[in-house]
Amino acid sequence: MAPDRNRRRIPDATVSRLPVYLRLLGEQSAEGVDNISSERLAELAGVNAAKVRKDLSYLGSYGTRGVGYEVDYLVYQVRRELGLTHDWPVVIVGAGNLGQALAGYGGFGERGFPVAGIVDVDDAKVGTVLGGVRVRHIDELPQIVQTKRVSIGVVATPGAAAQEAADRLVAAGVTSILNFAPIVLSVPRSIEVRKVDLAVELQILSYHEQRRAGGAIHAVPGGASRSATA
Amino acid sequence: MAPDRNRRRIPDATVSRLPVYLRLLGEQSAEGVDNISSERLAELAGVNAAKVRKDLSYLGSYGTRGVGYEVDYLVYQVRRELGLTHDWPVVIVGAGNLGQALAGYGGFGERGFPVAGIVDVDDAKVGTVLGGVRVRHIDELPQIVQTKRVSIGVVATPGAAAQEAADRLVAAGVTSILNFAPIVLSVPRSIEVRKVDLAVELQILSYHEQRRAGGAIHAVPGGASRSATA
DNA sequence: AGGCACTCGTGCACACGTTCACAAAGCCCG
DNA sequence: CGGGCTTTGTGAACGTGTGCACGAGTGCCT
Ligand SMILES: NC(=O)c1ccc[n+]([C@@H]2O[C@H](COP(=O)([O-])OP(=O)(O)OC[C@H]3O[C@@H](n4cnc5c(N)ncnc54)[C@H](O)[C@@H]3O)[C@@H](O)[C@H]2O)c1
Ligand SMILES: NC(=O)c1ccc[n+]([C@@H]2O[C@H](COP(=O)([O-])OP(=O)(O)OC[C@H]3O[C@@H](n4cnc5c(N)ncnc54)[C@H](O)[C@@H]3O)[C@@H](O)[C@H]2O)c1
């Protein structure tokens, strides 16, 4: 009965792919597919089939040789491993452009991450309603976190305010943070932080574009003499 | 004069850190700091100092032993390597919640990625103005891409429309795509795709929260007998 | 001028991640 | 009931990324 399956540490790279498999499996299930091979799942996920099998093997031996994986059962196991057997309410700090888009986005709650609250410092924003949730003052953060048992916080403030926002989240009892501000947050080691940085993504694309162009076709007129200063 | 510096391939992991260094260097420069050690930069970036030195060494030997790196010169070199010596106009497909937040976000243009256009299929959205840019019909995409020489496209449509949006971007001549829709895009190998998937990020955090809790405190009532079938 | 303190650049060892390749295991059919 | 076909699960090889440790170059002070 696979007694210690829980305690096995799953590699980071695998953890970041499991949600992708999960979504694809859900789609397959909805389409009436009840059995799937690693090859097919790999094709859908755009990865190597061996990688799929190895990833899934960290959860246990849930496949059937010669047949594949039973979709619904696999969905159940992946969800369990990712901790998706219950909802994880999130609190959003910053009700600007991005905070509003996030709050207004239904996909959050659907996937098990209901918006437990959204807070801001700006009194003009407090009281307005976004996506069915009323914006509250940031001073109410500890109360929201505690009464709603929130462990995940989202930082959607300008960069200059992001560290403070993170500090307040941590002080309120949040233990995981998703950061959209373009700064490196400093938090206690026990807090899990993930960042989503648009500028970084675009600059990575820019790197590849520049490289594709040969790296030097767009000759830069000025500034070349700089190397003399080094 | 470092003749073939351009042709050296830079590891992916390094490419993804360069934008972070770049931002920090810019901040330091603005604060009047004109020299910085790998140690200090590492501290700001939250990484190991040896990693910073190794990353920067891929650009060339631009540091001075015993002293550190000249901030402005390093900024110039990193920008050059990332292809940031000129602007990269982007086109956004999908003028919904997210597309609006993106268009209304000034940080884009500031960092060298001006919004060259935003398109949608919905006639109700076409003609409205977001962040100073008028929403146009998606049929005008090829024209926008060509006249504005856009090589980067952003997909901000619902998942169901994302593949079509990507196909249209590719057909119009875009060679890099930033995808916000929760699906795996299939594009020609020559197209560079990066994805930003909120649900994945949250589920990764969920995994760590669940694990932190001991992995089994929230005992799941039903479904346990399933393992008998395996 | 010489010595000393400092910091870069990098070789090396180790950890992590990916892919191949194949034995083991299950299913189906005759 | 046995042989052939399919697909899993995983050992082993390979590739990529990380971090230590130290030689080499530079500036400063005496
Ligand atoms: N909008 C986008 O598309 C986009 C894209 C990429 C990154 N970002 C990043 O996301 C963050 C938010 O962007 P935005 O466009 O929503 O900015 P915004 O200025 O529209 O909104 C920021 C909100 O945070 C609030 N705020 C400021 N200080 C606060 C504090 N200490 N505590 C709580 N709330 C505070 C402000 O009152 C405001 O409502 C920024 O860091 C930005 O760089 C946004
Ligand atoms: N809003 C968020 O905070 C958020 C967060 C995470 C992920 N996302 C993802 O971003 C995407 C967009 O989210 P949203 O909230 O902006 O959705 P939305 O429904 O508000 O907007 C989608 C827009 O795309 C347009 N569209 C539909 N089909 C199109 C097509 N074929 N070509 C061009 N335009 C088309 C629609 O007319 C609409 O204006 C979704 O895939 C969503 O999963 C959004």
Side-chain angles (χ1 to χ4, degrees):
Chain A
M1 226 213 231
D4 60 347
R5 205 45 93 184
N6 280 341
R7 297 270 46 95
R8 179 108 111 273
R9 204 190 129 270
I10 296 184
D12 288 348
T14 294
V15 172
S16 68
R17 282 188 295 266
L18 288 177
V20 177
Y21 301 153
L22 180 57
R23 177 145 45 208
L24 295 168
L25 288 169
E27 287 168 13
Q28 292 299 301
S29 177
E31 286 176 23
V33 176
D34 44 35
N35 222 254
I36 194 168
S37 68
S38 60
E39 190 104 22
R40 175 73 179 131
L41 185 51
E43 186 193 331
L44 294 171
V47 301
N48 183 294
K51 200 185 283 185
V52 169
R53 290 199 296 277
K54 188 150 282 191
D55 284 343
L56 296 181
S57 78
Y58 290 112
L59 313 187
S61 286
Y62 298 132
T64 306
R65 292 164 195 234
V67 179
Y69 301 85
E70 190 195 321
V71 175
D72 289 342
Y73 185 51
L74 198 50
V75 164
Y76 167 73
Q77 289 297 343
V78 175
R79 288 178 56 87
R80 196 172 61 85
E81 194 67 42
L82 290 176
L84 301 175
T85 48
H86 62 83
D87 280 1
W88 294 97
V90 302
V91 63
I92 299 171
V93 182
N97 273 324
L98 186 61
Q100 288 175 35
L102 294 173
Y105 176 54
F108 255 159
E110 279 168 33
R111 300 202 166 275
F113 300 91
V115 178
I118 175 164
V119 300
D120 205 300
V121 272
D122 186 353
D123 285 329
K125 297 248 168 67
V126 174
T128 58
V129 175
L130 304 173
V133 183
R134 190 171 54 86
V135 178
R136 293 162 75 178
H137 192 271
I138 191 165
D139 289 343
E140 296 186 53
L141 188 57
Q143 203 223 317
I144 296 170
V145 169
Q146 288 190 4
T147 60
K148 302 269 182 80
R149 301 200 188 291
V150 175
S151 41
I152 300 177
V154 177
V155 174
T157 66
Q163 182 61 54
E164 195 207 327
D167 291 345
R168 280 172 176 263
L169 282 169
V170 171
V174 156
T175 45
S176 287
I177 293 177
L178 182 55
N179 178 32
F180 285 92
I183 68 153
V184 179
L185 291 182
S186 123
V187 295
R189 209 191 317 280
S190 64
I191 307 294
E192 189 76 24
V193 175
R194 294 196 63 88
K195 70 164 183 179
V196 173
D197 191 328
L198 279 251
V200 169
E201 298 301 324
L202 287 172
Q203 288 176 18
I204 292 171
L205 289 177
S206 156
Y207 168 78
H208 291 290
E209 284 295 329
Q210 175 258 3
R211 166 153 269 275
R212 179 193 311 261
I217 64 163
H218 292 283
V220 184
S225 59
R226 289 300 305 279
S227 48
T229 66
Chain B
M1 229 214 223
D4 60 348
R5 206 43 93 186
N6 280 340
R7 297 271 47 98
R8 178 108 110 271
R9 203 189 131 268
I10 296 183
D12 288 348
T14 294
V15 172
S16 67
R17 281 187 296 267
L18 288 177
V20 177
Y21 301 152
L22 180 58
R23 176 145 44 208
L24 295 168
L25 289 168
E27 287 168 13
Q28 292 298 302
S29 176
E31 287 176 22
V33 176
D34 45 37
N35 221 258
I36 193 167
S37 68
S38 60
E39 190 104 22
R40 175 73 180 129
L41 185 50
E43 185 192 331
L44 294 171
V47 301
N48 182 293
K51 200 186 284 186
V52 169
R53 290 199 295 277
K54 190 156 283 188
D55 284 342
L56 296 180
S57 77
Y58 289 113
L59 313 186
S61 285
Y62 298 132
T64 306
R65 292 165 194 231
V67 178
Y69 302 86
E70 189 196 323
V71 176
D72 289 344
Y73 185 52
L74 198 50
V75 164
Y76 168 73
Q77 288 297 343
V78 175
R79 287 178 57 86
R80 196 172 61 85
E81 193 67 42
L82 290 176
L84 301 175
T85 48
H86 61 82
D87 279 1
W88 293 97
V90 302
V91 62
I92 299 171
V93 182
N97 273 324
L98 186 61
Q100 288 176 34
L102 293 174
Y105 175 56
F108 255 160
E110 279 168 33
R111 300 202 167 274
F113 300 91
V115 177
I118 174 164
V119 300
D120 204 300
V121 272
D122 186 354
D123 286 328
K125 298 248 167 70
V126 174
T128 58
V129 175
L130 304 173
V133 183
R134 190 171 54 86
V135 177
R136 294 162 74 179
H137 192 270
I138 191 164
D139 289 343
E140 297 186 52
L141 186 58
Q143 202 223 318
I144 297 170
V145 170
Q146 288 190 3
T147 59
K148 302 268 182 81
R149 300 200 189 290
V150 175
S151 40
I152 299 177
V154 176
V155 175
T157 66
Q163 182 62 53
E164 194 207 327
D167 291 345
R168 279 171 176 263
L169 282 168
V170 172
V174 156
T175 45
S176 287
I177 293 177
L178 182 54
N179 178 31
F180 285 91
I183 69 155
V184 179
L185 291 182
S186 121
V187 295
R189 210 188 318 279
S190 64
I191 308 293
E192 188 78 24
V193 175
R194 295 195 62 87
K195 69 162 185 181
V196 173
D197 191 328
L198 279 254
V200 169
E201 298 301 324
L202 287 172
Q203 288 176 18
I204 292 172
L205 290 177
S206 156
Y207 168 78
H208 290 290
E209 285 295 328
Q210 173 259 1
R211 165 153 268 276
R212 179 192 311 260
I217 63 163
H218 293 281
V220 182
S225 60
R226 291 301 305 275
S227 46
T229 66

mmCIF file of all heavy atoms in Angstrom, chain A residues 98 101-105, chain B residues 93-99 119-122 125 138 155-159 161 164-165 168 180-182 196 198, ligand 2:
data_model
loop_
_atom_site.group_PDB
_atom_site.id
_atom_site.type_symbol
_atom_site.label_atom_id
_atom_site.label_comp_id
_atom_site.label_asym_id
_atom_site.label_seq_id
_atom_site.Cartn_x
_atom_site.Cartn_y
_atom_site.Cartn_z
ATOM 1 N N LEU A 98 -2.773 45.375 -12.379
ATOM 2 C CA LEU A 98 -2.567 43.944 -12.327
ATOM 3 C C LEU A 98 -3.466 43.284 -11.286
ATOM 4 O O LEU A 98 -4.107 42.265 -11.563
ATOM 5 C CB LEU A 98 -1.099 43.651 -12.009
ATOM 6 C CG LEU A 98 -0.712 42.187 -12.059
ATOM 7 C CD1 LEU A 98 -0.929 41.621 -13.453
ATOM 8 C CD2 LEU A 98 0.745 42.021 -11.651
ATOM 9 N N ALA A 101 -6.808 42.855 -12.690
ATOM 10 C CA ALA A 101 -6.889 41.784 -13.683
ATOM 11 C C ALA A 101 -6.922 40.432 -12.990
ATOM 12 O O ALA A 101 -7.694 39.539 -13.358
ATOM 13 C CB ALA A 101 -5.706 41.864 -14.645
ATOM 14 N N LEU A 102 -6.107 40.293 -11.961
ATOM 15 C CA LEU A 102 -6.050 39.021 -11.239
ATOM 16 C C LEU A 102 -7.371 38.739 -10.536
ATOM 17 O O LEU A 102 -7.904 37.631 -10.615
ATOM 18 C CB LEU A 102 -4.911 39.036 -10.220
ATOM 19 C CG LEU A 102 -3.499 39.099 -10.800
ATOM 20 C CD1 LEU A 102 -2.474 39.275 -9.683
ATOM 21 C CD2 LEU A 102 -3.187 37.825 -11.590
ATOM 22 N N ALA A 103 -7.885 39.775 -9.854
ATOM 23 C CA ALA A 103 -9.124 39.587 -9.118
ATOM 24 C C ALA A 103 -10.288 39.286 -10.072
ATOM 25 O O ALA A 103 -11.177 38.501 -9.758
ATOM 26 C CB ALA A 103 -9.437 40.826 -8.289
ATOM 27 N N GLY A 104 -10.242 39.908 -11.245
ATOM 28 C CA GLY A 104 -11.330 39.728 -12.196
ATOM 29 C C GLY A 104 -11.218 38.444 -13.001
ATOM 30 O O GLY A 104 -12.102 38.108 -13.792
ATOM 31 N N TYR A 105 -10.155 37.741 -12.769
ATOM 32 C CA TYR A 105 -9.907 36.534 -13.547
ATOM 33 C C TYR A 105 -10.486 35.307 -12.848
ATOM 34 O O TYR A 105 -10.053 34.926 -11.775
ATOM 35 C CB TYR A 105 -8.408 36.373 -13.746
ATOM 36 C CG TYR A 105 -8.003 35.119 -14.439
ATOM 37 C CD1 TYR A 105 -8.535 34.779 -15.674
ATOM 38 C CD2 TYR A 105 -7.080 34.250 -13.864
ATOM 39 C CE1 TYR A 105 -8.158 33.615 -16.323
ATOM 40 C CE2 TYR A 105 -6.690 33.096 -14.511
ATOM 41 C CZ TYR A 105 -7.238 32.790 -15.738
ATOM 42 O OH TYR A 105 -6.861 31.636 -16.372
ATOM 43 N N VAL B 93 -2.045 40.246 -28.490
ATOM 44 C CA VAL B 93 -3.263 39.668 -29.046
ATOM 45 C C VAL B 93 -4.211 39.339 -27.903
ATOM 46 O O VAL B 93 -3.879 38.528 -27.037
ATOM 47 C CB VAL B 93 -2.974 38.386 -29.858
ATOM 48 C CG1 VAL B 93 -4.262 37.838 -30.464
ATOM 49 C CG2 VAL B 93 -1.947 38.664 -30.940
ATOM 50 N N GLY B 94 -5.377 39.991 -27.892
ATOM 51 C CA GLY B 94 -6.332 39.773 -26.814
ATOM 52 C C GLY B 94 -6.409 40.991 -25.911
ATOM 53 O O GLY B 94 -5.485 41.274 -25.159
ATOM 54 N N ALA B 95 -7.515 41.722 -25.984
ATOM 55 C CA ALA B 95 -7.644 42.955 -25.203
ATOM 56 C C ALA B 95 -8.607 42.770 -24.030
ATOM 57 O O ALA B 95 -9.452 43.627 -23.768
ATOM 58 C CB ALA B 95 -8.108 44.092 -26.111
ATOM 59 N N GLY B 96 -8.465 41.661 -23.337
ATOM 60 C CA GLY B 96 -9.322 41.401 -22.177
ATOM 61 C C GLY B 96 -8.703 41.976 -20.911
ATOM 62 O O GLY B 96 -7.930 42.934 -20.962
ATOM 63 N N ASN B 97 -9.047 41.365 -19.792
ATOM 64 C CA ASN B 97 -8.479 41.754 -18.500
ATOM 65 C C ASN B 97 -6.982 41.959 -18.568
ATOM 66 O O ASN B 97 -6.456 43.005 -18.205
ATOM 67 C CB ASN B 97 -8.689 40.616 -17.489
ATOM 68 C CG ASN B 97 -10.011 40.709 -16.787
ATOM 69 O OD1 ASN B 97 -10.467 41.804 -16.510
ATOM 70 N ND2 ASN B 97 -10.619 39.581 -16.519
ATOM 71 N N LEU B 98 -6.326 40.901 -19.013
ATOM 72 C CA LEU B 98 -4.872 40.886 -18.979
ATOM 73 C C LEU B 98 -4.284 41.806 -20.033
ATOM 74 O O LEU B 98 -3.376 42.593 -19.752
ATOM 75 C CB LEU B 98 -4.374 39.457 -19.199
ATOM 76 C CG LEU B 98 -2.877 39.276 -19.057
ATOM 77 C CD1 LEU B 98 -2.422 39.649 -17.653
ATOM 78 C CD2 LEU B 98 -2.484 37.840 -19.374
ATOM 79 N N GLY B 99 -4.808 41.722 -21.247
ATOM 80 C CA GLY B 99 -4.313 42.577 -22.322
ATOM 81 C C GLY B 99 -4.410 44.041 -21.933
ATOM 82 O O GLY B 99 -3.501 44.834 -22.198
ATOM 83 N N VAL B 119 -4.544 43.841 -30.591
ATOM 84 C CA VAL B 119 -5.625 43.406 -31.474
ATOM 85 C C VAL B 119 -6.566 42.431 -30.766
ATOM 86 O O VAL B 119 -6.197 41.802 -29.777
ATOM 87 C CB VAL B 119 -5.074 42.705 -32.742
ATOM 88 C CG1 VAL B 119 -4.185 43.639 -33.529
ATOM 89 C CG2 VAL B 119 -4.341 41.425 -32.387
ATOM 90 N N ASP B 120 -7.784 42.344 -31.270
ATOM 91 C CA ASP B 120 -8.798 41.477 -30.681
ATOM 92 C C ASP B 120 -9.763 41.062 -31.790
ATOM 93 O O ASP B 120 -9.836 41.719 -32.833
ATOM 94 C CB ASP B 120 -9.538 42.232 -29.571
ATOM 95 C CG ASP B 120 -10.155 41.291 -28.543
ATOM 96 O OD1 ASP B 120 -11.005 40.462 -28.934
ATOM 97 O OD2 ASP B 120 -9.781 41.379 -27.356
ATOM 98 N N VAL B 121 -10.510 39.978 -31.585
ATOM 99 C CA VAL B 121 -11.544 39.601 -32.554
ATOM 100 C C VAL B 121 -12.858 40.286 -32.264
ATOM 101 O O VAL B 121 -13.697 40.449 -33.130
ATOM 102 C CB VAL B 121 -11.869 38.081 -32.547
ATOM 103 C CG1 VAL B 121 -10.966 37.336 -33.478
ATOM 104 C CG2 VAL B 121 -11.861 37.510 -31.146
ATOM 105 N N ASP B 122 -13.025 40.645 -30.996
ATOM 106 C CA ASP B 122 -14.302 41.191 -30.551
ATOM 107 C C ASP B 122 -14.500 42.626 -31.041
ATOM 108 O O ASP B 122 -13.786 43.539 -30.627
ATOM 109 C CB ASP B 122 -14.321 41.136 -29.016
ATOM 110 C CG ASP B 122 -15.666 41.557 -28.454
ATOM 111 O OD1 ASP B 122 -16.538 42.004 -29.236
ATOM 112 O OD2 ASP B 122 -15.850 41.435 -27.231
ATOM 113 N N LYS B 125 -14.562 45.511 -28.670
ATOM 114 C CA LYS B 125 -13.289 45.981 -28.104
ATOM 115 C C LYS B 125 -12.518 46.839 -29.107
ATOM 116 O O LYS B 125 -11.776 47.741 -28.734
ATOM 117 C CB LYS B 125 -12.421 44.782 -27.706
ATOM 118 C CG LYS B 125 -13.049 43.906 -26.630
ATOM 119 C CD LYS B 125 -12.266 43.989 -25.334
ATOM 120 C CE LYS B 125 -13.035 43.395 -24.168
ATOM 121 N NZ LYS B 125 -13.178 41.946 -24.238
ATOM 122 N N ILE B 138 -8.037 41.921 -35.387
ATOM 123 C CA ILE B 138 -6.946 40.968 -35.559
ATOM 124 C C ILE B 138 -6.540 40.790 -37.022
ATOM 125 O O ILE B 138 -5.400 40.428 -37.309
ATOM 126 C CB ILE B 138 -7.305 39.609 -34.915
ATOM 127 C CG1 ILE B 138 -6.062 38.713 -34.866
ATOM 128 C CG2 ILE B 138 -8.459 38.946 -35.645
ATOM 129 C CD1 ILE B 138 -6.164 37.547 -33.955
ATOM 130 N N VAL B 155 0.562 36.640 -26.368
ATOM 131 C CA VAL B 155 -0.742 35.995 -26.445
ATOM 132 C C VAL B 155 -1.476 36.175 -25.126
ATOM 133 O O VAL B 155 -1.041 35.675 -24.093
ATOM 134 C CB VAL B 155 -0.607 34.488 -26.763
ATOM 135 C CG1 VAL B 155 -1.962 33.809 -26.706
ATOM 136 C CG2 VAL B 155 0.035 34.286 -28.131
ATOM 137 N N ALA B 156 -2.584 36.918 -25.172
ATOM 138 C CA ALA B 156 -3.378 37.179 -23.969
ATOM 139 C C ALA B 156 -4.846 36.889 -24.252
ATOM 140 O O ALA B 156 -5.733 37.618 -23.812
ATOM 141 C CB ALA B 156 -3.178 38.614 -23.508
ATOM 142 N N THR B 157 -5.091 35.832 -24.981
ATOM 143 C CA THR B 157 -6.459 35.398 -25.275
ATOM 144 C C THR B 157 -6.809 34.243 -24.346
ATOM 145 O O THR B 157 -5.927 33.685 -23.694
ATOM 146 C CB THR B 157 -6.576 34.876 -26.715
ATOM 147 O OG1 THR B 157 -5.790 33.681 -26.825
ATOM 148 C CG2 THR B 157 -6.076 35.883 -27.722
ATOM 149 N N PRO B 158 -8.064 33.864 -24.283
ATOM 150 C CA PRO B 158 -8.408 32.647 -23.531
ATOM 151 C C PRO B 158 -7.683 31.449 -24.139
ATOM 152 O O PRO B 158 -7.308 31.478 -25.321
ATOM 153 C CB PRO B 158 -9.915 32.525 -23.752
ATOM 154 C CG PRO B 158 -10.378 33.911 -24.048
ATOM 155 C CD PRO B 158 -9.257 34.537 -24.800
ATOM 156 N N GLY B 159 -7.510 30.417 -23.347
ATOM 157 C CA GLY B 159 -6.791 29.230 -23.800
ATOM 158 C C GLY B 159 -7.292 28.686 -25.124
ATOM 159 O O GLY B 159 -6.498 28.343 -26.014
ATOM 160 N N ALA B 161 -8.462 30.040 -27.626
ATOM 161 C CA ALA B 161 -8.110 30.810 -28.819
ATOM 162 C C ALA B 161 -6.609 31.008 -28.967
ATOM 163 O O ALA B 161 -6.141 31.573 -29.962
ATOM 164 C CB ALA B 161 -8.795 32.171 -28.765
ATOM 165 N N GLU B 164 -4.718 29.529 -32.082
ATOM 166 C CA GLU B 164 -5.017 30.299 -33.288
ATOM 167 C C GLU B 164 -4.280 31.640 -33.257
ATOM 168 O O GLU B 164 -3.729 32.081 -34.275
ATOM 169 C CB GLU B 164 -6.524 30.550 -33.396
ATOM 170 C CG GLU B 164 -6.928 31.037 -34.784
ATOM 171 C CD GLU B 164 -8.196 31.881 -34.755
ATOM 172 O OE1 GLU B 164 -9.082 31.623 -33.919
ATOM 173 O OE2 GLU B 164 -8.279 32.819 -35.581
ATOM 174 N N ALA B 165 -4.266 32.266 -32.107
ATOM 175 C CA ALA B 165 -3.568 33.545 -31.975
ATOM 176 C C ALA B 165 -2.091 33.368 -32.313
ATOM 177 O O ALA B 165 -1.504 34.176 -33.046
ATOM 178 C CB ALA B 165 -3.721 34.075 -30.546
ATOM 179 N N ARG B 168 -1.568 32.897 -36.023
ATOM 180 C CA ARG B 168 -1.675 34.161 -36.739
ATOM 181 C C ARG B 168 -0.424 35.013 -36.537
ATOM 182 O O ARG B 168 0.042 35.686 -37.460
ATOM 183 C CB ARG B 168 -2.895 34.951 -36.266
ATOM 184 C CG ARG B 168 -4.209 34.478 -36.905
ATOM 185 C CD ARG B 168 -5.359 35.171 -36.202
ATOM 186 N NE ARG B 168 -6.660 34.866 -36.776
ATOM 187 C CZ ARG B 168 -7.292 35.648 -37.662
ATOM 188 N NH1 ARG B 168 -6.731 36.762 -38.092
ATOM 189 N NH2 ARG B 168 -8.487 35.306 -38.112
ATOM 190 N N PHE B 180 0.564 33.853 -22.290
ATOM 191 C CA PHE B 180 -0.071 33.881 -20.975
ATOM 192 C C PHE B 180 -1.202 32.873 -20.858
ATOM 193 O O PHE B 180 -1.731 32.652 -19.773
ATOM 194 C CB PHE B 180 -0.634 35.268 -20.689
ATOM 195 C CG PHE B 180 0.410 36.272 -20.351
ATOM 196 C CD1 PHE B 180 0.999 37.042 -21.334
ATOM 197 C CD2 PHE B 180 0.842 36.432 -19.041
ATOM 198 C CE1 PHE B 180 1.989 37.963 -21.024
ATOM 199 C CE2 PHE B 180 1.826 37.348 -18.722
ATOM 200 C CZ PHE B 180 2.408 38.118 -19.715
ATOM 201 N N ALA B 181 -1.595 32.289 -21.962
ATOM 202 C CA ALA B 181 -2.698 31.336 -21.920
ATOM 203 C C ALA B 181 -2.201 29.997 -21.390
ATOM 204 O O ALA B 181 -1.069 29.601 -21.643
ATOM 205 C CB ALA B 181 -3.288 31.162 -23.312
ATOM 206 N N PRO B 182 -3.051 29.309 -20.652
ATOM 207 C CA PRO B 182 -2.643 28.063 -20.018
ATOM 208 C C PRO B 182 -2.690 26.869 -20.957
ATOM 209 O O PRO B 182 -3.375 25.883 -20.676
ATOM 210 C CB PRO B 182 -3.649 27.919 -18.876
ATOM 211 C CG PRO B 182 -4.879 28.563 -19.394
ATOM 212 C CD PRO B 182 -4.427 29.681 -20.301
ATOM 213 N N VAL B 196 4.082 32.199 -19.376
ATOM 214 C CA VAL B 196 3.888 32.670 -18.019
ATOM 215 C C VAL B 196 2.555 32.095 -17.605
ATOM 216 O O VAL B 196 1.521 32.438 -18.162
ATOM 217 C CB VAL B 196 3.827 34.205 -17.969
ATOM 218 C CG1 VAL B 196 3.456 34.677 -16.577
ATOM 219 C CG2 VAL B 196 5.166 34.798 -18.387
ATOM 220 N N LEU B 198 0.190 31.441 -14.472
ATOM 221 C CA LEU B 198 -0.157 31.678 -13.077
ATOM 222 C C LEU B 198 -0.544 30.442 -12.322
ATOM 223 O O LEU B 198 -0.121 30.217 -11.186
ATOM 224 C CB LEU B 198 -1.361 32.612 -13.007
ATOM 225 C CG LEU B 198 -1.071 34.056 -13.155
ATOM 226 C CD1 LEU B 198 -1.188 34.720 -11.812
ATOM 227 C CD2 LEU B 198 0.335 34.199 -13.688
HETATM 228 N N1 LIG E 2 -6.551 38.070 -16.137
HETATM 229 C C1 LIG E 2 -5.607 37.489 -15.430
HETATM 230 O O1 LIG E 2 -5.228 37.974 -14.368
HETATM 231 C C2 LIG E 2 -4.983 36.247 -15.895
HETATM 232 C C3 LIG E 2 -4.189 35.541 -15.042
HETATM 233 C C4 LIG E 2 -3.592 34.385 -15.464
HETATM 234 C C5 LIG E 2 -3.782 33.938 -16.727
HETATM 235 N N2 LIG E 2 -4.549 34.616 -17.562
HETATM 236 C C6 LIG E 2 -4.713 34.111 -18.910
HETATM 237 O O2 LIG E 2 -4.585 35.158 -19.824
HETATM 238 C C7 LIG E 2 -5.493 34.967 -20.888
HETATM 239 C C8 LIG E 2 -6.371 36.173 -21.015
HETATM 240 O O3 LIG E 2 -7.042 36.385 -19.801
HETATM 241 P P1 LIG E 2 -8.104 37.540 -19.644
HETATM 242 O O4 LIG E 2 -8.506 37.553 -18.225
HETATM 243 O O5 LIG E 2 -7.558 38.763 -20.238
HETATM 244 O O6 LIG E 2 -9.288 36.986 -20.538
HETATM 245 P P2 LIG E 2 -10.488 37.844 -21.154
HETATM 246 O O7 LIG E 2 -11.554 36.895 -21.481
HETATM 247 O O8 LIG E 2 -10.762 39.008 -20.281
HETATM 248 O O9 LIG E 2 -9.890 38.433 -22.491
HETATM 249 C C9 LIG E 2 -9.621 37.664 -23.600
HETATM 250 C C10 LIG E 2 -9.678 38.556 -24.832
HETATM 251 O O10 LIG E 2 -9.246 37.805 -25.971
HETATM 252 C C11 LIG E 2 -10.128 38.096 -27.036
HETATM 253 N N3 LIG E 2 -10.068 36.982 -27.979
HETATM 254 C C12 LIG E 2 -10.755 35.835 -27.944
HETATM 255 N N4 LIG E 2 -10.431 35.065 -28.989
HETATM 256 C C13 LIG E 2 -9.538 35.756 -29.712
HETATM 257 C C14 LIG E 2 -8.858 35.492 -30.911
HETATM 258 N N5 LIG E 2 -8.987 34.344 -31.567
HETATM 259 N N6 LIG E 2 -8.009 36.431 -31.370
HETATM 260 C C15 LIG E 2 -7.846 37.588 -30.713
HETATM 261 N N7 LIG E 2 -8.476 37.892 -29.574
HETATM 262 C C16 LIG E 2 -9.317 36.980 -29.086
HETATM 263 C C17 LIG E 2 -11.468 38.284 -26.410
HETATM 264 O O11 LIG E 2 -12.291 39.056 -27.251
HETATM 265 C C18 LIG E 2 -11.106 39.021 -25.134
HETATM 266 O O12 LIG E 2 -11.084 40.412 -25.328
HETATM 267 C C19 LIG E 2 -6.274 33.711 -20.573
HETATM 268 O O13 LIG E 2 -5.696 32.641 -21.286
HETATM 269 C C20 LIG E 2 -6.070 33.535 -19.114
HETATM 270 O O14 LIG E 2 -6.064 32.163 -18.769
HETATM 271 C C21 LIG E 2 -5.164 35.785 -17.176
#
